[in-house]
Amino acid sequence: EDAADFNPASTAQMQQMLFGPFEKKEQKQKREKQAKRTGGSDPFEAEYQNQEVELFRVENTSGFIKEGGTRPLKYRQMPIRGFGLEPISYTKSGMPAADALVIKALAGDDPENGKYGKAYEQFVSRGKEQEGINISIALDNWLQFKHIQKLLSTYIKPLQGQIDPQGRIHCSMNLNTETGRISCKKPNLQNQPALDKDRYKVRKAFVAEKGMKLLVADYGQLELRIMAHMTKCKSMIEAFKLGGDFHSRTALG
């Protein structure tokens, strides 16, 4: 019941689940400085911002009736017990960060194939390896879920609303930009997933009519090539003839 009502989009709930009980950054730093001066740290001196178990108000979707009550209340209190992980970074307000980068660091690069992150390491140090594996995989699944959500909201659903009766999509191209680069809108077809990052093959939704083909092309260092041509710079022209990335050549000196 509580798992169904848990909201991973809630920063407060994620902070509690991952790090509870936790101290704010300033409180922790103050206690650690005191420990250095005294030669030891008393865990009972910690001024916890959140305890191991915190209650969060959620909608009473299960129809829970409070003891002594006659009908369900609109909201109920949902307890969340924290894993007690060590925070990786903090927000400006001093709270443990629980953004995607932190979740990725906790989960690891590929927990399904044994490439675990910091959550696994911390659980192993407690003698709870299997729990570390489970939470790593769960966090990785959450990241994949968020990625799919973004694909649906940013790419797939907007495109579906732009299809004409012939099953084609027509965007509006703008050539009159300050930089000289072409821009696109309604929909922005330049904002589709990159070829090397299109894990769910969104680009395969674009197909040519029968007997036609789609070409994928991109300008290669266009501005620098124009400059080399207009200035007749021999070294630049020679570099382009040899191929490669001129920006990388410049960086290497």
Side-chain angles (χ1 to χ4, degrees):
E1 179 183 323
D2 289 338
D5 288 331
F6 178 79
N7 179 15
S10 166
T11 300
Q13 291 187 29
M14 286 295 288
Q15 287 171 331
Q16 172 60 25
M17 182 190 74
L18 295 172
F19 309 113
F22 60 80
E23 301 170 273
K24 293 187 75 172
K25 184 178 181 180
E26 291 182 1
Q27 294 170 337
K28 182 179 179 181
Q29 289 176 337
K30 181 180 178 181
R31 184 168 59 84
E32 288 176 345
K33 286 181 180 179
Q34 178 67 22
K36 287 182 179 179
R37 287 196 295 267
T38 59
S41 177
D42 185 351
F44 293 102
E45 292 180 355
E47 298 179 24
Y48 290 123
Q49 177 74 18
N50 279 39
Q51 302 302 316
E52 183 179 2
V53 178
E54 289 283 339
L55 297 177
F56 290 82
R57 193 176 79 155
V58 297
E59 287 191 26
N60 186 16
T61 55
S62 62
F64 169 76
I65 299 177
K66 190 176 181 180
E67 186 177 351
T70 58
R71 60 179 182 177
L73 298 175
K74 185 176 181 180
Y75 298 99
R76 70 179 183 88
Q77 296 295 319
M78 177 183 70
I80 297 180
R81 182 179 298 276
F83 292 123
L85 295 173
E86 186 69 24
I88 294 176
S89 59
Y90 291 85
T91 64
K92 290 182 179 179
S93 63
M95 299 289 280
D99 54 31
L101 289 176
V102 169
I103 303 299
K104 182 65 177 177
L106 290 171
D109 292 332
D110 187 6
E112 289 282 0
N113 292 303
K115 296 180 180 179
Y116 306 115
K118 294 185 180 297
Y120 172 79
E121 294 172 2
Q122 293 186 42
F123 271 96
V124 168
S125 68
R126 304 174 192 173
K128 299 180 178 180
E129 181 180 11
Q130 189 57 52
E131 289 187 35
I133 293 174
N134 293 342
I135 189 174
S136 298
I137 293 174
L139 291 175
D140 186 61
N141 287 337
W142 180 79
L143 287 173
Q144 292 185 46
F145 167 74
K146 292 291 289 182
H147 179 61
I148 293 172
Q149 265 193 331
K150 182 178 180 181
L151 284 177
L152 287 171
S153 62
T154 305
Y155 305 114
I156 298 174
K157 288 184 178 179
L159 289 177
Q160 289 177 329
Q162 300 284 344
I163 300 174
D164 70 10
Q166 285 73 44
R168 316 306 295 178
I169 290 177
H170 303 275
C171 64
S172 176
M173 306 296 294
N174 179 22
L175 305 178
N176 186 26
T177 60
E178 291 184 6
T179 62
R181 292 177 177 268
I182 298 173
S183 66
C184 179
K185 62 181 181 179
K186 296 182 181 180
N188 183 4
L189 296 181
Q190 293 177 316
N191 191 34
Q192 301 309 301
L195 285 170
D196 58 337
K197 297 180 180 178
D198 192 10
R199 179 176 180 181
Y200 296 99
K201 309 301 180 186
V202 174
R203 283 174 173 253
K204 284 189 175 293
F206 299 93
V207 294
E209 292 184 359
K210 190 174 182 179
M212 308 293 285
K213 289 186 177 182
L214 289 176
L215 295 179
V216 178
D218 190 14
Y219 292 125
Q221 306 170 80
L222 177 63
E223 294 88 350
L224 288 176
R225 290 179 185 274
I226 293 175
M227 184 171 70
H229 173 74
M230 295 184 69
T231 60
K232 295 181 172 57
C233 178
K234 292 182 179 180
S235 61
M236 290 183 71
I237 293 172
E238 185 63 27
F240 284 123
K241 286 182 178 179
L242 292 173
D245 185 351
F246 193 85
H247 291 291
S248 297
R249 290 171 178 266
T250 303
L252 293 172

